[in-house]
Amino acid sequence: MTTIEQQHSCKSSGCDKPAALQCPTCVKLAIKGSFFCSQECFRGSWGEHKSVHQVTNPAATYNPFPTYQFTGPLRPEYPLSPRRVVPADIPRPDYADAPGGASKQEQSYGNAQIVAMSAEDIEKMRVVCRLGREILDIAARALRVGVTTDEIDRIVHEATIERKAYPSPLNYYEFPKSVCTSVNEVICHGIPDQRKLQDGDIVNIDISLYRDGFHADLNKTYFVGNVDAKSKKLVKTTRECLQKAIEMVKPGVRYRDLGSAIESHARENGFSVVRTYSGHGVGKMFHSAPNIPHYAKNKAIGVMKPGHVFTIEPMINEGRYEDRTWRDNWTAVTVDGKRSAQFEHAILVTETGYEVLTGRLPSSPESQLRGL
């Protein structure tokens, strides 16, 4: 608490005593009028008072984890904007309003067999995946120096509900936003905040949505402004790693074999492969079997069959493969603070090979990798 000389009335409900203490978070955010007569009144009012910190256009930002030992130069910039609203008429997954954001469907599924989708289910997946690509392209067009990742979240959220879909990340195990935005050394699951994108950044936008009973999942890493040569090589190599794995997909291929192709190409170019996070089945559940590690000599189980739908989403690091997690319990970063890139597609196994469900559309922006 911060002490000031001018006296005000206590903001605690039912208390009008003279107040000379102000909430320190409100001071950082330049929010006026939050005075309390004592620490006891402040603590007693915290549950209600903290809501004033969630402002749409903050006058000031702050690092919520000032004692955390960050591995690289990136810092979170709070406050987060308020949770965005999904209209009541839009169907939502089982975790959307669940305490803790837990999916009972996923928890009860456990390690069940990989499900082959019916023709009707596949058609629904094609629809939701095409919509996901549309939304990713909309977000990509908004990227520029000076835009905040929170603004990207707003754009993605609005584009999603315009398509009568639910943004799958929202409240999934209490994730607070509608999209993941992972900048520079962030490997995945970055939470959109008030930080403005800077010239030379790379940023991954991870789109997931739920419509007509099915989830789509895809992502792509983009350049912001003038990006250095090493970052360009990292992003280009990561996209190549994804493509090499996709080209292996056909009935009879073991899921564990994809990791060898990915890691071989990454290592040839001087990079490493993240081991903590994997590709996964996607469809009626946000995450399901199969589990698809992106590194060699993994022990993933299962063989591809027609009708299987899953993601391949390699995360490739400039330096070491290990990761750490920020105190928000979501943001995964490289252990050495060097940059990371990722690409993701949802893939359908066909009778003779594969179909990329989240592929580029005729209207998609030109690839930044063209000519590299």
Side-chain angles (χ1 to χ4, degrees):
M1 296 285 283
T2 301
T3 304
I4 63 169
E5 294 182 0
Q6 184 180 0
Q7 201 166 76
H8 298 263
S9 296
C10 183
K11 291 297 182 180
S12 180
S13 179
C15 180
D16 58 0
K17 293 179 181 179
L21 302 175
Q22 189 173 16
C23 168
T25 302
C26 289
V27 172
K28 293 177 183 177
L29 298 177
I31 297 173
K32 298 179 179 181
S34 58
F35 299 100
F36 298 88
C37 67
S38 66
Q39 292 283 354
E40 289 73 21
C41 270
F42 177 64
R43 287 193 293 266
S45 301
W46 180 249
E48 178 181 355
H49 171 72
K50 65 182 180 181
S51 64
V52 306
H53 300 152
Q54 294 187 328
V55 292
T56 303
N57 296 299
T61 61
Y62 65 98
N63 173 6
F65 317 120
T67 63
Y68 180 76
Q69 296 297 309
F70 292 91
T71 63
L74 190 72
R75 298 292 183 272
E77 292 194 19
Y78 278 40
L80 300 182
S81 58
R83 175 171 167 169
R84 305 192 194 280
V85 176
V86 177
D89 65 328
I90 292 179
R92 53 201 68 206
D94 66 341
Y95 57 80
D97 302 306
S103 170
K104 291 184 177 179
Q105 187 180 15
E106 288 186 4
Q107 291 176 342
S108 63
Y109 178 78
N111 293 318
Q113 292 292 319
I114 305 168
V115 175
M117 291 191 184
S118 66
E120 181 180 357
D121 290 349
I122 290 170
E123 189 54 40
K124 290 181 179 180
M125 279 298 295
R126 288 191 177 108
V127 171
V128 71
C129 286
R130 187 192 74 245
L131 295 177
R133 185 68 202 211
E134 289 178 4
I135 296 166
L136 179 64
D137 291 345
I138 289 169
R141 293 187 184 99
L143 286 175
R144 64 184 185 279
V145 174
V147 72
T148 65
T149 49
D150 183 70
E151 175 68 4
I152 298 301
D153 180 72
R154 181 193 66 79
I155 290 168
V156 168
H157 183 88
E158 292 180 359
T160 302
I161 63 175
E162 283 173 3
R163 288 159 175 77
K164 298 300 181 182
Y166 181 91
S168 300
L170 188 61
N171 200 50
Y172 184 71
Y173 291 96
E174 297 186 322
F175 190 83
K177 293 297 176 182
S178 298
V179 65
C180 297
T181 52
S182 300
V183 179
N184 297 342
E185 69 263 31
V186 179
I187 296 169
C188 60
H189 303 156
I191 297 175
D193 62 12
Q194 307 302 331
R195 181 186 180 275
K196 295 178 180 179
L197 293 173
Q198 300 175 8
D199 187 51
D201 283 346
I202 61 173
V203 57
N204 180 274
I205 299 178
D206 194 339
I207 301 292
S208 309
L209 65 153
Y210 176 82
R211 186 178 186 274
D212 201 14
F214 289 83
H215 295 270
D217 198 4
L218 69 157
N219 74 53
K220 184 174 180 177
T221 300
Y222 297 92
F223 304 138
V224 181
N226 301 295
V227 176
D228 64 78
K230 190 169 185 180
S231 294
K232 289 181 178 180
K233 182 181 178 183
L234 172 68
V235 173
K236 180 174 182 286
T237 299
T238 305
R239 182 60 183 85
E240 290 168 350
C241 285
L242 172 61
Q243 188 60 35
K244 287 181 179 296
I246 289 174
E247 290 173 356
M248 293 177 64
V249 174
K250 63 181 179 180
V253 172
R254 298 182 303 179
Y255 284 105
R256 69 175 63 178
D257 292 339
L258 300 181
S260 296
I262 291 169
E263 184 162 27
S264 175
H265 189 66
R267 289 172 66 89
E268 285 174 4
N269 285 275
F271 302 125
S272 65
V273 180
V274 173
R275 297 186 171 214
T276 303
Y277 303 97
S278 302
H280 53 88
V282 64
K284 292 182 178 179
M285 288 176 281
F286 196 0
H287 298 90
S288 62
N291 180 56
I292 305 171
H294 302 113
Y295 56 91
K297 298 181 181 179
N298 66 77
K299 298 181 180 180
I301 61 173
V303 174
M304 298 177 194
K305 297 180 180 179
H308 287 184
V309 177
F310 53 89
T311 70
I312 308 174
E313 45 186 297
M315 290 144 273
I316 309 300
N317 293 351
E318 275 187 347
R320 293 162 56 184
Y321 72 84
E322 298 97 332
D323 60 275
R324 295 289 183 270
T325 304
W326 283 359
R327 286 180 179 166
D328 57 24
N329 296 320
W330 277 106
T331 306
V333 296
T334 58
V335 71
D336 53 14
K338 295 183 178 181
R339 290 187 169 189
S340 183
Q342 183 186 19
F343 285 83
E344 174 185 22
H345 273 311
I347 310 295
L348 165 69
V349 183
T350 66
E351 294 291 341
T352 58
Y354 64 88
E355 178 182 338
V356 179
L357 298 174
T358 47
R360 289 175 55 83
L361 303 173
S363 59
S364 293
E366 183 177 351
S367 172
Q368 294 177 317
L369 298 177
R370 186 181 297 274
L372 292 182

